[in-house]
Amino acid sequence: MSTTIQNNQSLGVPSFAEDAKLRRERPTGPVPEIAKGPEVPAEGYAMEELADGVFWLGDGSYQSMFVVTGEGVVAVDAPPTLGHNILRAIGRVTTKPVTHVVYSHHHSDHCGAMSIFPDNARRYAQRATAQRLEFLADPDRPLPTDVFDESLTIDAGDHTLELAYPGPNHSEGNSFIHLPNQRVLMLVDVIFPGWVPFSNISLSAFVPGVLHLHETTLRYDFDHLVTGHVTRPGTPEDVRVQLEYLTDLRTTAEAALSSVDLSSTMAGVDMSNAWAVFRAYLDAVAAATTDELVPRWKDRLGGADVFTLPNAWAMAESLRLDLNSLGPFGTRP
């Protein structure tokens, strides 16, 4: 037993490491077939040509995209887990150089290897993304040369990429990349084909924007969706199914905000500890929501039993803070 655990126990504080260990060891449900993608070969990545010159790359968790045009290669994002495999994949299909680089948003798990691309490539980002990159000053995420506010079109040889910012969602600056002629759309960290969203609704900055973005996505004409995660490209049906899950999550969480019994929830809670009071309430709301949702979704989306609880917590907080659904903590009469 570590010194930290011993010290915590001697102070009467439970061991958080032991709690985490118990969660890790708890069995998880089987992954449904819809959540499974192509086998990742020994090279460490799978590659698929989605449409003429448009290639999807995936490593079983992260995804990126590149487009081979008549003039060169347009690369969109560079997850570090794919890293130089992106260049190896490009080299398998063309000898043309990378001439354009697009940031979907600023997060390093998707763009932390952008420095692998040539220094003379033009780099594109939405203004909020560019501002965050400038503030972070990360040499592995070079600053964009071209910045846009609402939209920008890249005409690269025989391919057109339309960049569009729909407003705050997963992060400020997170944008669509659309190839209308090839019917391919890229939107990162919002849709998770075959899976529930990552923990806390993918740590999104503005949950109402994420919900609205599903409807915006369905207004595009596309056959293939590159999502940044997880095992395979997505489809319009994946967007519809995840919207159904998030709508169910919202409706159930909103009901739980008012239906959780405060007297039984607060029994045994130190009422002088304000954070303990709120934790007890929010944990109870999330747990009640999760108990309802998991049986409905465990066979439809991967990870429903893993991340619905933190997703419910995030949804409840968004309902409270963004949408003024405050349950028993609303305005006093």
Side-chain angles (χ1 to χ4, degrees), residues 171-191:
S171 71
E172 291 190 19
N174 193 40
S175 298
F176 285 108
I177 300 95
H178 186 215
L179 289 99
N181 297 330
Q182 287 73 32
R183 297 181 60 83
V184 175
L185 181 66
M186 184 167 178
L187 176 66
V188 173
D189 279 339
V190 174
I191 314 298

Side-chain angles (χ1 to χ4, degrees), residues 4 18 44 71 79 93 100 149 168 267 280 285 300 308 314-315 317 321:
T4 300
E18 287 297 322
E71 297 178 351
V93 298
H100 301 71
D149 290 304
V285 169
R300 295 187 64 188
T308 294
M315 181 63 77
E317 275 296 82
L321 305 181

Side-chain angles (χ1 to χ4, degrees), residues 21-100:
K21 182 174 182 291
L22 289 173
R23 285 195 297 273
R24 289 197 302 271
E25 294 174 347
R26 187 179 302 156
T28 55
V31 175
E33 287 300 314
I34 196 172
K36 298 177 182 177
E39 182 177 350
V40 178
E43 292 89 346
Y45 66 93
M47 180 168 64
E48 179 182 346
E49 187 171 11
L50 301 179
D52 180 29
V54 183
F55 292 85
W56 168 91
L57 292 181
D59 62 10
S61 179
Y62 282 89
Q63 307 177 5
S64 68
M65 177 177 76
F66 68 88
V67 183
V68 180
T69 78
E71 297 178 351
V73 175
V74 182
V76 186
D77 284 356
T81 59
L82 284 166
H84 285 87
N85 278 337
I86 299 171
L87 299 181
R88 296 183 185 103
I90 292 172
R92 285 172 53 185
V93 298
T94 185
T95 59
K96 295 174 181 175
V98 174
T99 54
H100 301 71

Side-chain angles (χ1 to χ4, degrees), residues 304-328:
D305 58 327
V306 177
F307 276 153
T308 294
L309 183 64
N311 285 341
W313 204 99
M315 181 63 77
E317 275 296 82
S318 177
L319 285 164
R320 286 178 2 93
L321 305 181
D322 294 320
L323 300 177
N324 201 23
S325 182
L326 295 169

Side-chain angles (χ1 to χ4, degrees), residues 225-270:
L225 180 65
V226 181
T227 60
H229 297 280
V230 280
T231 60
R232 60 172 176 83
T235 66
E237 180 62 16
D238 288 313
V239 182
R240 286 188 282 267
V241 170
Q242 187 173 289
L243 178 57
E244 183 185 347
Y245 169 83
L246 287 173
T247 301
D248 196 3
L249 182 69
R250 174 180 173 171
T251 301
T252 308
E254 190 157 25
L257 282 167
S258 297
S259 63
V260 163
D261 181 65
L262 274 184
S263 60
S264 61
T265 298
M266 296 305 166
V269 176
D270 178 3

Side-chain angles (χ1 to χ4, degrees), residues 167 199 215 276-277 281:
S199 183
E215 298 169 0
V277 170
Y281 171 64

